[in-house]
Amino acid sequence: MVDEQFKQQVDAYVDEVWEDVVADIDRLVRHDSVEDLAAARPGMPWGPAANGALVEAERMAERLGLEVTDVDGYLGFADVPGASGPERYLATIAHTDIVPTGDGWSFPPLEVTRKDGILVGRGVADDKGPFVLSLYAAAFFARRAAAGDELPYTLRCIIGNNEETGMGDVPYYLERYPEPLFCFSPDAESR
């Protein structure tokens, strides 16, 4: 059973940050972050457009007080240090790349539009919106840690950048860092 005081803290936090969450989703949605291997170069293995979204995501994480690591432009991660240290951690993984916008949009695809309580834009559901939500959840726990309520495990938000065309970012990460003890991907739509 979740502690009632904790639930109230979460509700207050969501009310406090909601408009910032939407603004950050919009910042990411404005990046037409489609892979372009023809323009790839060191530090931008998926091309400059995908890299732009990764850099934007890393800036958001830093602004939220998380410890950010860029992994050679392949992907990045943002940590809330816990008692376990960086080798034993729990993770979320979400991605900032998209498929091409295509035709048939009723709203501008590369900006967030609010319609009937729904956010619309390329990547809002897959996966820029869920990524931003995971960052703000981590920031909530970072705030609690700063107040003396340290997490038992480090919480890591992995910022994928190549999910739509092959997930080449994940093997690159796993060659350099230990696997998380548990990993959750919010890359899904619920109805």
Side-chain angles (χ1 to χ4, degrees):
M1 192 78 166
V2 176
D3 175 280
E4 191 59 38
Q5 183 180 14
F6 179 76
K7 285 173 55 177
Q8 290 173 357
Q9 290 171 351
V10 169
D11 288 344
Y13 177 73
V14 170
D15 289 342
E16 173 191 338
V17 301
W18 181 247
E19 290 305 319
D20 294 331
V21 168
V22 174
D24 280 342
I25 294 170
D26 185 60
R27 277 186 193 87
L28 277 181
V29 167
R30 289 178 182 275
H31 287 269
D32 192 8
S33 50
V34 175
E35 175 187 87
D36 181 2
L37 296 180
R41 57 184 185 260
M44 297 183 188
W46 318 119
N51 186 261
L54 175 63
V55 170
E56 185 79 57
E58 291 170 344
R59 279 192 212 125
M60 284 178 197
E62 286 175 350
R63 184 175 33 80
L64 291 170
L66 306 178
E67 295 182 9
V68 176
T69 301
D70 180 85
V71 187
D72 305 324
Y74 282 81
L75 72 165
F77 59 86
D79 284 353
V80 178
S84 67
E87 298 297 311
R88 293 176 47 82
Y89 63 96
L90 308 176
T92 64
I93 185 169
H95 61 91
T96 57
D97 60 313
I98 59 170
V99 296
T101 55
D103 297 326
W105 285 86
S106 300
F107 301 99
L110 296 177
E111 63 184 67
V112 169
T113 301
R114 297 179 197 220
K115 175 70 173 159
D116 300 327
I118 303 288
L119 302 179
V120 179
R122 171 58 85 208
V124 167
D126 179 15
D127 197 29
K128 294 175 179 184
F131 164 72
V132 170
L133 290 171
S134 69
L135 276 189
Y136 275 84
F140 172 80
F141 287 108
R143 184 185 287 186
R144 289 175 56 92
D149 190 10
E150 182 180 42
L151 291 170
Y153 290 95
T154 293
L155 173 58
R156 177 167 293 171
C157 296
I158 301 172
I159 310 165
N161 200 229
N162 184 239
E163 190 270 351
E164 297 293 1
T165 58
M167 294 188 72
D169 51 355
V170 173
Y172 193 85
Y173 174 86
L174 292 173
E175 290 169 2
R176 288 154 182 78
Y177 298 94
E179 287 185 35
L181 299 172
F182 176 83
C183 188
F184 169 74
S185 178
D187 187 352
E189 183 179 344
S190 63
R191 294 195 185 259

